[in-house]
Protein backbone atom coordinates (compact mmCIF):
# COMPACT_ATOMS: atom_id res chain seq x y z
CA UNK A 1 0.00 0.00 0.00
CA UNK A 2 1.25 3.47 -0.83
CA UNK A 3 1.64 5.31 2.48
CA UNK A 4 2.57 8.66 0.91
CA UNK A 5 -0.97 9.97 0.70
CA UNK A 6 -3.78 10.31 3.20
CA UNK A 7 -6.23 7.42 3.23
CA UNK A 8 -9.10 9.92 3.18
CA UNK A 9 -8.92 13.59 2.36
CA UNK A 10 -11.88 15.95 2.00
CA UNK A 11 -11.80 19.65 1.21
CA UNK A 12 -14.81 21.90 1.76
CA UNK A 13 -17.09 18.94 1.12
CA UNK A 14 -20.78 19.80 1.05
CA UNK A 15 -24.02 18.03 0.28
CA UNK A 16 -27.45 19.51 -0.08
CA UNK A 17 -30.76 17.63 -0.36
CA UNK A 18 -33.23 20.17 -1.69
CA UNK A 19 -33.78 22.34 1.40
CA UNK A 20 -31.56 20.41 3.80
CA UNK A 21 -27.84 21.09 4.01
CA UNK A 22 -26.49 17.73 5.18
CA UNK A 23 -22.76 18.58 4.96
CA UNK A 24 -21.38 22.09 5.29
CA UNK A 25 -17.74 22.29 4.27
CA UNK A 26 -16.11 19.20 5.72
CA UNK A 27 -12.30 19.32 5.85
CA UNK A 28 -10.92 16.03 7.01
CA UNK A 29 -7.72 14.05 6.70
CA UNK A 30 -7.47 10.42 7.77
CA UNK A 31 -3.95 9.04 7.72
CA UNK A 32 -3.12 5.72 6.12
CA UNK A 33 -3.01 2.97 8.75
CA UNK A 34 -5.22 4.91 11.12
CA UNK A 35 -8.34 3.73 12.92
CA UNK A 36 -10.63 6.71 12.65
CA UNK A 37 -14.09 7.17 14.19
CA UNK A 38 -16.83 9.54 13.12
CA UNK A 39 -19.13 10.29 15.99
CA UNK A 40 -22.36 12.23 15.96
CA UNK A 41 -26.08 11.96 16.58
CA UNK A 42 -28.64 10.84 14.00
CA UNK A 43 -29.02 13.46 11.28
CA UNK A 44 -25.58 14.95 11.94
CA UNK A 45 -24.35 14.03 8.45
CA UNK A 46 -22.43 10.83 9.26
CA UNK A 47 -24.23 8.61 6.76
CA UNK A 48 -24.08 11.26 4.03
CA UNK A 49 -20.33 11.66 4.49
CA UNK A 50 -19.98 7.88 4.59
CA UNK A 51 -22.02 7.49 1.39
CA UNK A 52 -19.95 10.09 -0.48
CA UNK A 53 -16.68 8.47 0.56
CA UNK A 54 -18.10 5.08 -0.44
CA UNK A 55 -18.93 6.52 -3.92
CA UNK A 56 -22.66 6.01 -3.38
CA UNK A 57 -23.54 9.71 -3.44
CA UNK A 58 -22.22 12.72 -5.28
CA UNK A 59 -21.18 15.75 -3.25
CA UNK A 60 -22.80 19.09 -4.04
CA UNK A 61 -19.46 20.87 -3.63
CA UNK A 62 -15.86 20.40 -2.58
CA UNK A 63 -13.80 17.30 -3.16
CA UNK A 64 -13.00 13.99 -1.53
CA UNK A 65 -10.25 11.49 -2.16
CA UNK A 66 -9.96 7.93 -0.87
CA UNK A 67 -6.55 6.22 -1.05
CA UNK A 68 -5.47 9.07 -3.30
CA UNK A 69 -8.33 8.68 -5.78
CA UNK A 70 -11.08 11.18 -6.40
CA UNK A 71 -14.44 9.73 -5.33
CA UNK A 72 -16.16 11.38 -8.29
CA UNK A 73 -13.72 11.04 -11.16
CA UNK A 74 -11.97 7.81 -10.16
CA UNK A 75 -14.80 5.83 -8.67
CA UNK A 76 -13.70 2.45 -9.99
CA UNK A 77 -10.24 2.87 -8.43
CA UNK A 78 -11.79 3.84 -5.07
CA UNK A 79 -14.20 0.91 -5.19
CA UNK A 80 -11.39 -1.51 -5.99
CA UNK A 81 -9.53 -0.47 -2.82
CA UNK A 82 -12.26 -0.34 -0.22
CA UNK A 83 -14.37 -2.79 1.75
CA UNK A 84 -17.63 -1.77 3.41
CA UNK A 85 -19.83 -3.07 6.18
CA UNK A 86 -23.18 -1.33 6.09
CA UNK A 87 -25.55 -0.79 8.95
CA UNK A 88 -28.19 -2.85 7.16
CA UNK A 89 -27.44 -6.46 6.24
CA UNK A 90 -26.06 -6.56 2.70
CA UNK A 91 -26.23 -10.32 2.31
CA UNK A 92 -28.32 -12.54 0.08
CA UNK A 93 -30.20 -14.31 2.83
CA UNK A 94 -31.11 -17.44 0.87
CA UNK A 95 -27.56 -18.14 -0.24
CA UNK A 96 -24.96 -19.94 1.83
CA UNK A 97 -22.05 -18.24 3.56
CA UNK A 98 -19.72 -19.64 0.88
CA UNK A 99 -21.87 -18.48 -2.05
CA UNK A 100 -22.26 -14.98 -0.61
CA UNK A 101 -18.47 -14.62 -0.47
CA UNK A 102 -17.87 -16.37 -3.77
CA UNK A 103 -20.24 -14.04 -5.62
CA UNK A 104 -18.65 -10.99 -4.02
CA UNK A 105 -15.30 -12.25 -5.33
CA UNK A 106 -16.78 -12.32 -8.84
CA UNK A 107 -18.09 -8.78 -8.35
CA UNK A 108 -14.53 -7.70 -7.55
CA UNK A 109 -13.22 -9.13 -10.78
CA UNK A 110 -11.80 -12.43 -9.53
CA UNK A 111 -12.04 -15.50 -11.73
CA UNK A 112 -14.23 -18.33 -10.42
CA UNK A 113 -11.13 -20.24 -9.34
CA UNK A 114 -9.54 -17.23 -7.62
CA UNK A 115 -12.85 -16.38 -5.94
CA UNK A 116 -13.07 -19.93 -4.54
CA UNK A 117 -9.54 -19.68 -3.13
CA UNK A 118 -10.17 -16.23 -1.64
CA UNK A 119 -13.47 -17.39 -0.12
CA UNK A 120 -11.68 -20.30 1.56
CA UNK A 121 -8.98 -18.00 2.95
CA UNK A 122 -11.44 -15.46 4.33
CA UNK A 123 -13.66 -18.12 5.90
CA UNK A 124 -10.61 -19.63 7.54
CA UNK A 125 -9.40 -16.25 8.87
CA UNK A 126 -12.77 -15.24 10.26
CA UNK A 127 -13.78 -18.65 11.58
CA UNK A 128 -16.63 -19.21 9.14
CA UNK A 129 -15.49 -22.52 7.69
CA UNK A 130 -17.74 -24.60 9.94
CA UNK A 131 -20.83 -22.73 8.78
CA UNK A 132 -19.80 -22.37 5.13
CA UNK A 133 -22.84 -24.26 3.82
CA UNK A 134 -25.37 -22.55 6.10
CA UNK A 135 -27.83 -20.07 4.58
CA UNK A 136 -27.18 -16.49 5.67
CA UNK A 137 -30.73 -16.22 7.01
CA UNK A 138 -30.02 -19.06 9.46
CA UNK A 139 -27.01 -17.38 11.07
CA UNK A 140 -27.02 -15.66 14.44
CA UNK A 141 -26.66 -11.86 14.59
CA UNK A 142 -22.97 -12.13 15.44
CA UNK A 143 -22.30 -14.66 12.68
CA UNK A 144 -24.10 -12.45 10.15
CA UNK A 145 -21.92 -9.50 11.08
CA UNK A 146 -18.83 -11.66 10.80
CA UNK A 147 -20.00 -12.69 7.34
CA UNK A 148 -20.53 -9.02 6.48
CA UNK A 149 -16.99 -8.31 7.60
CA UNK A 150 -15.77 -11.27 5.55
CA UNK A 151 -17.68 -9.93 2.53
CA UNK A 152 -16.02 -6.55 2.92
CA UNK A 153 -12.59 -8.19 3.07
CA UNK A 154 -12.99 -10.30 -0.07
CA UNK A 155 -11.27 -7.66 -2.28
CA UNK A 156 -8.39 -7.47 0.22
CA UNK A 157 -9.07 -3.75 0.70
CA UNK A 158 -6.65 -1.01 1.71
CA UNK A 159 -9.39 0.75 3.63
CA UNK A 160 -12.39 -0.56 5.50
CA UNK A 161 -15.54 1.51 6.00
CA UNK A 162 -17.81 0.43 8.85
CA UNK A 163 -21.17 2.15 9.23
CA UNK A 164 -22.68 1.38 12.64
CA UNK A 165 -21.43 -2.11 11.97
CA UNK A 166 -22.17 -3.54 15.41
CA UNK A 167 -25.60 -2.01 15.94
CA UNK A 168 -27.86 -4.44 17.76
CA UNK A 169 -25.14 -6.96 18.62
CA UNK A 170 -24.58 -8.25 22.14
CA UNK A 171 -21.38 -7.38 23.98
CA UNK A 172 -19.59 -10.65 23.14
CA UNK A 173 -20.40 -10.42 19.45
CA UNK A 174 -19.26 -6.79 19.39
CA UNK A 175 -16.02 -7.68 21.13
CA UNK A 176 -15.33 -10.49 18.67
CA UNK A 177 -16.14 -8.20 15.73
CA UNK A 178 -13.73 -5.49 16.88
CA UNK A 179 -10.98 -8.01 17.59
CA UNK A 180 -11.12 -8.95 13.92
CA UNK A 181 -11.16 -5.32 12.83
CA UNK A 182 -8.11 -4.60 14.99
CA UNK A 183 -6.32 -7.49 13.31
CA UNK A 184 -7.03 -5.79 9.99
CA UNK A 185 -5.59 -2.49 11.26
CA UNK A 186 -2.48 -4.22 12.57
CA UNK A 187 -1.67 -5.16 8.99
CA UNK A 188 -1.17 -1.43 8.31
CA UNK A 189 -4.51 -0.74 6.71
CA UNK A 190 -7.05 1.97 7.45
CA UNK A 191 -10.44 1.75 9.16
CA UNK A 192 -13.00 4.53 9.02
CA UNK A 193 -16.05 3.87 11.15
CA UNK A 194 -19.18 5.39 12.59
CA UNK A 195 -20.69 4.15 15.82
CA UNK A 196 -23.17 4.97 18.51
CA UNK A 197 -21.23 3.11 21.19
CA UNK A 198 -18.82 5.34 23.13
CA UNK A 199 -16.53 2.50 24.16
CA UNK A 200 -16.11 1.54 20.51
CA UNK A 201 -15.13 5.05 19.53
CA UNK A 202 -12.57 5.12 22.35
CA UNK A 203 -10.45 2.51 20.57
CA UNK A 204 -10.00 4.81 17.58
CA UNK A 205 -6.67 6.56 17.04
CA UNK A 206 -8.58 9.74 16.32
CA UNK A 207 -12.20 10.79 16.45
CA UNK A 208 -14.10 13.46 14.56
CA UNK A 209 -17.24 14.79 16.20
CA UNK A 210 -19.80 15.83 13.62
CA UNK A 211 -22.86 17.93 14.23
CA UNK A 212 -25.29 19.59 11.81
CA UNK A 213 -23.03 18.80 8.87
CA UNK A 214 -19.85 20.24 10.39
CA UNK A 215 -16.82 18.72 12.10
CA UNK A 216 -16.92 20.39 15.49
CA UNK A 217 -13.94 18.68 17.08
CA UNK A 218 -11.16 16.39 15.97
CA UNK A 219 -8.44 14.68 17.93
CA UNK A 220 -7.41 11.61 19.88
CA UNK A 221 -9.90 10.49 22.54
CA UNK A 222 -7.57 11.97 25.19
CA UNK A 223 -7.27 15.30 23.37
CA UNK A 224 -11.02 15.60 23.02
CA UNK A 225 -11.60 14.88 26.70
CA UNK A 226 -8.89 17.33 27.71
CA UNK A 227 -10.77 20.01 25.82
CA UNK A 228 -13.32 20.27 28.59
CA UNK A 229 -10.67 19.77 31.31
CA UNK A 230 -11.13 18.71 34.93
CA UNK A 231 -13.99 16.34 35.41
CA UNK A 232 -17.71 15.93 35.24
CA UNK A 233 -20.23 16.04 38.04
CA UNK A 234 -23.36 14.05 37.34
CA UNK A 235 -26.35 14.88 39.49
CA UNK A 236 -29.75 13.28 39.78
CA UNK A 237 -32.17 15.37 41.81
CA UNK A 238 -35.84 15.32 42.72
CA UNK A 239 -36.40 18.28 40.40
CA UNK A 240 -33.73 18.58 37.69
CA UNK A 241 -35.39 21.56 36.04
CA UNK A 242 -35.31 23.56 39.26
CA UNK A 243 -31.78 22.40 40.05
CA UNK A 244 -30.58 23.48 36.58
CA UNK A 245 -32.13 26.89 36.98
CA UNK A 246 -30.51 27.35 40.39
CA UNK A 247 -27.11 26.23 39.10
CA UNK A 248 -27.29 28.66 36.20
CA UNK A 249 -28.16 31.48 38.53
CA UNK A 250 -25.10 30.65 40.59
CA UNK A 251 -22.64 30.82 37.71
CA UNK A 252 -22.55 27.18 36.65
CA UNK A 253 -23.22 25.84 33.15
CA UNK A 254 -25.35 22.75 33.68
CA UNK A 255 -26.41 20.55 30.76
CA UNK A 256 -29.46 18.35 31.11
CA UNK A 257 -29.02 14.90 29.61
CA UNK A 258 -30.69 11.50 29.80
CA UNK A 259 -28.19 10.62 32.53
CA UNK A 260 -29.14 13.62 34.69
CA UNK A 261 -27.56 17.04 35.13
CA UNK A 262 -24.04 17.22 33.74
CA UNK A 263 -21.75 19.85 35.21
CA UNK A 264 -18.23 20.30 33.86
CA UNK A 265 -15.77 21.61 36.42
CA UNK A 266 -12.02 22.14 36.64
CA UNK A 267 -12.10 20.86 40.24
CA UNK A 268 -15.17 18.67 40.61
CA UNK A 269 -14.10 17.10 43.91
CA UNK A 270 -13.86 20.55 45.50
CA UNK A 271 -17.08 21.89 44.00
CA UNK A 272 -19.36 18.94 44.78
CA UNK A 273 -19.52 19.17 48.62
CA UNK A 274 -20.48 22.85 48.45
CA UNK A 275 -23.10 22.10 45.85
CA UNK A 276 -24.68 19.35 47.88
CA UNK A 277 -25.12 21.63 50.87
CA UNK A 278 -26.48 24.64 48.99
CA UNK A 279 -28.56 23.12 46.15
CA UNK A 280 -32.23 23.89 46.99
CA UNK A 281 -33.38 20.50 45.66
CA UNK A 282 -32.91 17.10 47.21
CA UNK A 283 -30.01 15.27 45.54
CA UNK A 284 -30.72 11.60 44.81
CA UNK A 285 -27.34 10.72 43.36
CA UNK A 286 -24.05 12.50 42.76
CA UNK A 287 -21.09 11.21 40.81
CA UNK A 288 -17.74 12.60 39.78
CA UNK A 289 -16.03 11.07 36.80
CA UNK A 290 -13.61 11.75 33.99
CA UNK A 291 -15.18 13.40 30.97
CA UNK A 292 -16.50 10.94 28.40
CA UNK A 293 -16.89 11.59 24.69
CA UNK A 294 -20.59 12.01 25.40
CA UNK A 295 -19.69 14.83 27.82
CA UNK A 296 -17.43 16.43 25.22
CA UNK A 297 -20.23 16.36 22.67
CA UNK A 298 -22.76 17.64 25.18
CA UNK A 299 -20.49 20.49 26.19
CA UNK A 300 -19.77 21.48 22.60
CA UNK A 301 -23.29 21.25 21.24
CA UNK A 302 -25.77 21.09 24.11
CA UNK A 303 -27.04 17.85 22.56
CA UNK A 304 -26.74 14.21 23.49
CA UNK A 305 -25.17 11.72 21.09
CA UNK A 306 -27.91 9.13 21.45
CA UNK A 307 -30.59 10.80 19.40
CA UNK A 308 -29.23 14.21 18.60
CA UNK A 309 -32.16 15.92 20.19
CA UNK A 310 -31.52 19.14 21.96
CA UNK A 311 -31.65 19.04 25.73
CA UNK A 312 -34.94 20.16 27.29
CA UNK A 313 -35.17 23.94 27.36
CA UNK A 314 -33.86 25.47 30.53
CA UNK A 315 -36.46 27.18 32.67
CA UNK A 316 -36.74 30.90 32.30
CA UNK A 317 -37.99 31.34 35.84
CA UNK A 318 -36.58 30.07 39.08
CA UNK A 319 -39.00 28.14 41.17
CA UNK A 320 -38.86 29.24 44.80
CA UNK A 321 -38.63 27.03 47.86
CA UNK A 322 -35.92 25.53 49.98
CA UNK A 323 -34.85 21.94 50.39
CA UNK B 1 -17.42 -8.82 -18.71
CA UNK B 2 -16.58 -10.28 -15.30
CA UNK B 3 -18.99 -7.83 -13.64
CA UNK B 4 -21.72 -8.80 -16.09
CA UNK B 5 -21.11 -12.47 -15.32
CA UNK B 6 -21.23 -11.75 -11.56
CA UNK B 7 -24.62 -9.98 -11.81
CA UNK B 8 -26.11 -12.83 -13.84
CA UNK B 9 -24.60 -15.51 -11.57
CA UNK B 10 -26.03 -13.83 -8.48
CA UNK B 11 -29.55 -13.75 -9.89
CA UNK B 12 -29.42 -17.30 -11.22
CA UNK B 13 -28.16 -18.60 -7.87
CA UNK B 14 -31.15 -16.87 -6.30
CA UNK B 15 -33.56 -18.38 -8.80
CA UNK B 16 -32.14 -21.80 -8.01
CA UNK B 17 -33.12 -21.34 -4.35
CA UNK B 18 -36.60 -20.03 -5.22
CA UNK B 19 -38.51 -22.92 -6.81
CA UNK B 20 -41.83 -21.56 -5.55
CA UNK B 21 -41.40 -18.53 -7.84
CA UNK B 22 -40.76 -20.81 -10.81
CA UNK B 23 -43.83 -22.95 -10.17
CA UNK B 24 -46.16 -20.05 -9.34
CA UNK B 25 -45.10 -18.20 -12.49
CA UNK B 26 -46.64 -21.02 -14.55
CA UNK B 27 -50.10 -20.81 -12.96
CA UNK B 28 -51.31 -17.58 -14.61
CA UNK B 29 -50.29 -18.48 -18.20
CA UNK B 30 -51.77 -21.98 -17.86
CA UNK B 31 -55.07 -20.47 -16.66
CA UNK B 32 -55.16 -18.13 -19.65
CA UNK B 33 -54.23 -20.89 -22.04
CA UNK B 34 -56.54 -23.68 -20.95
CA UNK B 35 -59.40 -21.97 -19.09
CA UNK B 36 -59.75 -18.76 -21.08
CA UNK B 37 -58.60 -20.46 -24.28
CA UNK B 38 -61.14 -23.28 -23.97
CA UNK B 39 -63.96 -21.04 -22.70
CA UNK B 40 -63.62 -18.24 -25.24
CA UNK B 41 -62.49 -20.59 -27.95
CA UNK B 42 -65.81 -22.44 -27.77
CA UNK B 43 -67.67 -19.33 -28.91
CA UNK B 44 -64.92 -17.78 -31.05
CA UNK B 45 -65.16 -17.58 -34.82
CA UNK B 46 -61.63 -18.94 -34.82
CA UNK B 47 -62.97 -22.17 -33.26
CA UNK B 48 -61.94 -23.87 -30.01
CA UNK B 49 -58.75 -25.53 -31.21
CA UNK B 50 -57.64 -22.65 -33.39
CA UNK B 51 -58.31 -20.04 -30.70
CA UNK B 52 -56.02 -21.78 -28.22
CA UNK B 53 -53.36 -21.96 -30.92
CA UNK B 54 -53.95 -18.30 -31.71
CA UNK B 55 -53.50 -17.11 -28.11
CA UNK B 56 -50.52 -19.39 -27.40
CA UNK B 57 -47.93 -16.73 -28.43
CA UNK B 58 -49.95 -14.21 -26.37
CA UNK B 59 -49.76 -16.48 -23.35
CA UNK B 60 -46.02 -16.83 -23.89
CA UNK B 61 -45.91 -13.03 -23.93
CA UNK B 62 -47.90 -12.88 -20.69
CA UNK B 63 -45.55 -15.32 -19.00
CA UNK B 64 -42.44 -13.51 -20.24
CA UNK B 65 -43.80 -10.08 -19.32
CA UNK B 66 -44.80 -10.87 -15.75
CA UNK B 67 -41.82 -13.12 -14.97
CA UNK B 68 -39.33 -10.58 -16.33
CA UNK B 69 -40.86 -7.65 -14.49
CA UNK B 70 -41.17 -9.65 -11.28
CA UNK B 71 -37.48 -10.64 -11.54
CA UNK B 72 -36.61 -6.97 -12.00
CA UNK B 73 -38.68 -6.04 -8.96
CA UNK B 74 -36.10 -7.87 -6.85
CA UNK B 75 -33.95 -4.79 -7.46
CA UNK B 76 -36.46 -2.77 -5.43
CA UNK B 77 -36.36 -5.40 -2.71
CA UNK B 78 -32.55 -5.32 -2.77
CA UNK B 79 -32.59 -1.56 -2.47
CA UNK B 80 -35.08 -1.74 0.41
CA UNK B 81 -33.04 -4.21 2.46
CA UNK B 82 -29.70 -2.61 1.60
CA UNK B 83 -28.25 -5.41 -0.53
CA UNK B 84 -28.13 -3.25 -3.65
CA UNK B 85 -25.54 -1.03 -1.95
CA UNK B 86 -23.14 -3.97 -1.73
CA UNK B 87 -23.47 -4.38 -5.49
CA UNK B 88 -23.15 -0.65 -6.21
CA UNK B 89 -19.91 -0.26 -4.23
CA UNK B 90 -18.26 -3.06 -6.21
CA UNK B 91 -15.96 -1.95 -9.04
CA UNK B 92 -18.40 -3.08 -11.71
CA UNK B 93 -19.29 -0.59 -14.50
CA UNK B 94 -22.88 0.62 -14.12
CA UNK B 95 -23.53 -0.42 -17.73
CA UNK B 96 -22.53 -3.97 -16.79
CA UNK B 97 -24.92 -3.90 -13.81
CA UNK B 98 -27.80 -2.68 -16.01
CA UNK B 99 -27.09 -5.11 -18.86
CA UNK B 100 -26.49 -7.94 -16.38
CA UNK B 101 -29.81 -7.27 -14.67
CA UNK B 102 -31.61 -7.13 -18.03
CA UNK B 103 -30.06 -10.39 -19.22
CA UNK B 104 -30.56 -12.22 -15.92
CA UNK B 105 -34.21 -11.08 -15.84
CA UNK B 106 -34.63 -12.33 -19.40
CA UNK B 107 -33.13 -15.72 -18.51
CA UNK B 108 -35.38 -15.97 -15.45
CA UNK B 109 -38.41 -15.14 -17.61
CA UNK B 110 -37.45 -17.63 -20.29
CA UNK B 111 -37.36 -20.58 -17.88
CA UNK B 112 -41.16 -20.82 -17.29
CA UNK B 113 -41.87 -19.76 -20.88
CA UNK B 114 -39.75 -22.62 -22.21
CA UNK B 115 -41.66 -24.99 -19.91
CA UNK B 116 -44.86 -23.79 -21.63
CA UNK B 117 -43.45 -24.99 -24.96
CA UNK B 118 -43.97 -28.55 -23.72
CA UNK B 119 -47.69 -27.97 -24.38
CA UNK B 120 -47.14 -27.27 -28.10
CA UNK B 121 -47.82 -30.88 -29.24
CA UNK B 122 -50.77 -31.11 -26.83
CA UNK B 123 -52.32 -28.11 -28.59
CA UNK B 124 -51.82 -29.74 -31.96
CA UNK B 125 -49.09 -27.29 -32.90
CA UNK B 126 -46.37 -29.14 -34.74
CA UNK B 127 -43.56 -27.12 -36.22
CA UNK B 128 -40.28 -27.76 -37.94
CA UNK B 129 -36.91 -27.00 -36.37
CA UNK B 130 -36.47 -23.79 -38.31
CA UNK B 131 -39.83 -22.44 -37.18
CA UNK B 132 -39.13 -23.61 -33.61
CA UNK B 133 -35.80 -21.78 -33.60
CA UNK B 134 -37.57 -18.70 -34.96
CA UNK B 135 -40.00 -18.89 -32.04
CA UNK B 136 -37.15 -19.26 -29.55
CA UNK B 137 -35.41 -16.24 -31.08
CA UNK B 138 -38.58 -14.16 -30.83
CA UNK B 139 -39.02 -15.28 -27.22
CA UNK B 140 -35.47 -14.20 -26.37
CA UNK B 141 -36.04 -10.74 -27.89
CA UNK B 142 -39.37 -10.43 -26.08
CA UNK B 143 -37.80 -11.53 -22.77
CA UNK B 144 -34.98 -9.00 -23.09
CA UNK B 145 -37.45 -6.23 -23.93
CA UNK B 146 -39.70 -6.97 -20.95
CA UNK B 147 -36.73 -7.38 -18.64
CA UNK B 148 -35.32 -4.01 -19.77
CA UNK B 149 -38.74 -2.49 -19.10
CA UNK B 150 -38.77 -4.03 -15.62
CA UNK B 151 -35.18 -3.04 -14.76
CA UNK B 152 -35.61 0.57 -15.95
CA UNK B 153 -38.79 0.82 -13.85
CA UNK B 154 -37.56 -1.03 -10.77
CA UNK B 155 -34.29 0.88 -10.63
CA UNK B 156 -36.26 4.04 -9.83
CA UNK B 157 -38.43 2.69 -7.01
CA UNK B 158 -37.54 2.36 -3.34
CA UNK B 159 -40.50 0.33 -2.08
CA UNK B 160 -41.85 -3.05 -3.19
CA UNK B 161 -45.39 -1.83 -2.55
CA UNK B 162 -45.31 -0.36 -6.08
CA UNK B 163 -45.36 -3.80 -7.69
CA UNK B 164 -49.16 -4.36 -7.50
CA UNK B 165 -49.64 -0.83 -8.85
CA UNK B 166 -47.29 -1.45 -11.77
CA UNK B 167 -48.90 -4.84 -12.35
CA UNK B 168 -52.43 -3.44 -12.54
CA UNK B 169 -51.79 0.00 -14.01
CA UNK B 170 -49.03 -0.79 -16.49
CA UNK B 171 -48.54 -4.48 -17.25
CA UNK B 172 -52.14 -5.61 -17.59
CA UNK B 173 -53.12 -2.69 -19.88
CA UNK B 174 -50.00 -3.38 -21.99
CA UNK B 175 -50.97 -7.04 -22.21
CA UNK B 176 -54.61 -6.40 -23.10
CA UNK B 177 -53.68 -3.78 -25.70
CA UNK B 178 -51.14 -6.07 -27.33
CA UNK B 179 -53.53 -8.27 -29.25
CA UNK B 180 -52.35 -11.27 -27.26
CA UNK B 181 -55.92 -12.57 -26.92
CA UNK B 182 -57.50 -11.27 -30.14
CA UNK B 183 -56.44 -10.43 -33.70
CA UNK B 184 -55.29 -6.80 -33.88
CA UNK B 185 -56.24 -6.76 -37.56
CA UNK B 186 -59.93 -6.98 -36.61
CA UNK B 187 -59.66 -4.65 -33.59
CA UNK B 188 -61.22 -1.15 -33.54
CA UNK B 189 -59.11 1.62 -35.05
CA UNK B 190 -58.32 3.30 -31.71
CA UNK B 191 -57.02 0.00 -30.33
CA UNK B 192 -54.79 -0.51 -33.35
CA UNK B 193 -53.32 2.95 -32.82
CA UNK B 194 -52.63 2.28 -29.15
CA UNK B 195 -51.03 -1.06 -29.99
CA UNK B 196 -48.43 0.78 -32.04
CA UNK B 197 -47.10 2.27 -28.78
CA UNK B 198 -47.08 -1.03 -26.90
CA UNK B 199 -43.84 -3.08 -26.97
CA UNK B 200 -45.79 -6.17 -25.88
CA UNK B 201 -47.78 -5.95 -29.13
CA UNK B 202 -44.61 -6.11 -31.24
CA UNK B 203 -43.15 -8.95 -29.14
CA UNK B 204 -46.33 -11.05 -29.29
CA UNK B 205 -46.68 -10.33 -32.99
CA UNK B 206 -43.14 -11.53 -33.61
CA UNK B 207 -43.81 -14.78 -31.71
CA UNK B 208 -47.12 -15.24 -33.48
CA UNK B 209 -45.39 -14.79 -36.79
CA UNK B 210 -42.98 -17.59 -35.89
CA UNK B 211 -45.77 -19.94 -34.77
CA UNK B 212 -48.66 -19.17 -37.13
CA UNK B 213 -46.88 -17.41 -39.98
CA UNK B 214 -49.13 -14.36 -39.66
CA UNK B 215 -48.12 -10.92 -38.42
CA UNK B 216 -49.85 -7.58 -37.91
CA UNK B 217 -46.65 -5.49 -38.00
CA UNK B 218 -43.88 -6.04 -40.55
CA UNK B 219 -41.16 -8.19 -38.93
CA UNK B 220 -38.48 -5.56 -39.56
CA UNK B 221 -40.61 -2.97 -37.74
CA UNK B 222 -41.11 -5.24 -34.71
CA UNK B 223 -37.37 -5.95 -34.56
CA UNK B 224 -36.49 -2.27 -34.90
CA UNK B 225 -39.01 -1.12 -32.28
CA UNK B 226 -38.00 -3.81 -29.76
CA UNK B 227 -34.29 -3.08 -30.28
CA UNK B 228 -35.03 0.61 -29.73
CA UNK B 229 -36.93 -0.17 -26.54
CA UNK B 230 -34.14 -2.41 -25.23
CA UNK B 231 -31.44 0.17 -25.92
CA UNK B 232 -33.33 3.11 -24.47
CA UNK B 233 -34.55 1.32 -21.35
CA UNK B 234 -31.12 -0.19 -20.60
CA UNK B 235 -29.55 3.25 -20.98
CA UNK B 236 -32.12 4.70 -18.58
CA UNK B 237 -31.39 1.94 -16.05
CA UNK B 238 -27.63 2.57 -16.38
CA UNK B 239 -28.20 6.23 -15.55
CA UNK B 240 -30.15 5.36 -12.41
CA UNK B 241 -27.52 2.89 -11.21
CA UNK B 242 -24.84 5.51 -11.88
CA UNK B 243 -26.64 7.92 -9.53
CA UNK B 244 -26.22 5.45 -6.65
CA UNK B 245 -28.14 6.54 -3.56
CA UNK B 246 -28.86 9.93 -5.14
CA UNK B 247 -31.38 8.24 -7.45
Amino acid sequence: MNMQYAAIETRDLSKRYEKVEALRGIDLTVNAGEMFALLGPNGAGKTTLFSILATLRKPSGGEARVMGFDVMRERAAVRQRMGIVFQEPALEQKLSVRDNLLLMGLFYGLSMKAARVRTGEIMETLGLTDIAARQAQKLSGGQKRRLELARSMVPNPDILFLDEATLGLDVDARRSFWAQVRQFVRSGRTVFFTTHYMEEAEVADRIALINEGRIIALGTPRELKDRIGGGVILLATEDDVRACAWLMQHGHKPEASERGIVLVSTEPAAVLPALLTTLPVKTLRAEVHEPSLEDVFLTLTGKGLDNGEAVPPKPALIMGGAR
Amino acid sequence: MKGLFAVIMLDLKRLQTDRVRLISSLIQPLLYLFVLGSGLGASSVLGKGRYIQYIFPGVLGLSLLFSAVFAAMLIVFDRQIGFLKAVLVAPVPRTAIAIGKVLSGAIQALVPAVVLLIFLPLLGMHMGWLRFLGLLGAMVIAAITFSALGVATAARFKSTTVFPIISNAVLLPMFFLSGALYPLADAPHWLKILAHFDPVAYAVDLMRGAVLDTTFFPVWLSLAVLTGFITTLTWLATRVFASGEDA
Side-chain angles (χ1 to χ4, degrees), chain A residues 15 51 56-58 92, chain B residues 2 14 85 91 245-246:
Chain A
K15 178 69 181 179
S51 297
L56 285 169
R57 285 190 190 278
K58 292 175 185 169
E92 173 45 58
Chain B
K2 280 181 181 171
R14 291 165 137 184
K85 283 202 277 191
E245 288 193 317
D246 284 324

Side-chain angles (χ1 to χ4, degrees), chain B residues 161-192:
Chain B
T161 53
V162 297
F163 184 66
I165 300 166
I166 289 173
S167 175
N168 291 324
V170 182
L171 301 186
L172 278 177
M174 282 173 85
F175 173 69
F176 285 124
L177 285 174
S178 70
L181 303 176
Y182 53 85
L184 272 178
D186 301 332
H189 188 61
W190 63 269
L191 227 161
K192 282 181 192 166

Side-chain angles (χ1 to χ4, degrees), chain B residues 58-95:
Chain B
V59 170
L60 285 178
L62 174 84
S63 172
L64 289 168
L65 178 65
F66 277 82
S67 299
V69 174
F70 184 80
M73 282 301 143
L74 289 177
I75 296 170
V76 187
F77 180 69
D78 284 347
R79 189 189 287 278
Q80 216 172 352
I81 63 165
F83 182 72
L84 188 64
K85 283 202 277 191
V87 173
L88 293 179
V89 295
V92 178
R94 308 298 98 158
T95 321

Side-chain angles (χ1 to χ4, degrees), chain A residues 233-255:
Chain A
I233 298 170
L234 192 63
L235 294 173
T237 70
E238 273 192 338
D239 187 346
D240 283 357
V241 174
R242 201 172 138 209
C244 268
W246 186 89
L247 286 164
M248 283 175 75
Q249 214 193 25
H250 288 80
H252 298 283
K253 288 179 181 170
E255 297 284 355

Side-chain angles (χ1 to χ4, degrees), chain A residues 15 51 54 56-58 75-76 79-80 82 84 86 88-92 94-95 99 103-104 106-109 112 151, chain B residues 2-3 5-7 9-10 13-14 17-18 78 81-83 85-92 94 242-246:
Chain A
K15 178 69 181 179
S51 297
L56 285 169
R57 285 190 190 278
K58 292 175 185 169
R75 290 181 158 194
R79 287 171 182 151
Q80 194 71 53
M82 69 180 182
I84 301 187
F86 296 105
E88 313 91 357
L91 301 169
E92 173 45 58
K94 285 185 179 170
L95 294 186
D99 281 347
L103 284 164
M104 214 31 74
L106 299 180
F107 271 100
Y108 279 84
M112 184 61 94
R151 182 186 54 71
Chain B
K2 280 181 181 171
F5 175 65
V7 176
M9 273 294 285
L10 169 69
K13 279 262 182 195
R14 291 165 137 184
T17 62
D18 198 358
D78 284 347
I81 63 165
F83 182 72
K85 283 202 277 191
V87 173
L88 293 179
V89 295
V92 178
R94 308 298 98 158
S243 322
E245 288 193 317
D246 284 324

Side-chain angles (χ1 to χ4, degrees), chain A residues 192-213:
Chain A
F192 180 89
F193 68 99
T194 68
T195 180
H196 261 72
Y197 300 113
M198 291 305 115
E199 70 275 17
E200 287 185 355
E202 300 262 2
V203 301
D205 297 316
R206 285 193 305 150
I207 299 168
L209 297 182
I210 185 169
N211 186 46
E212 294 176 356

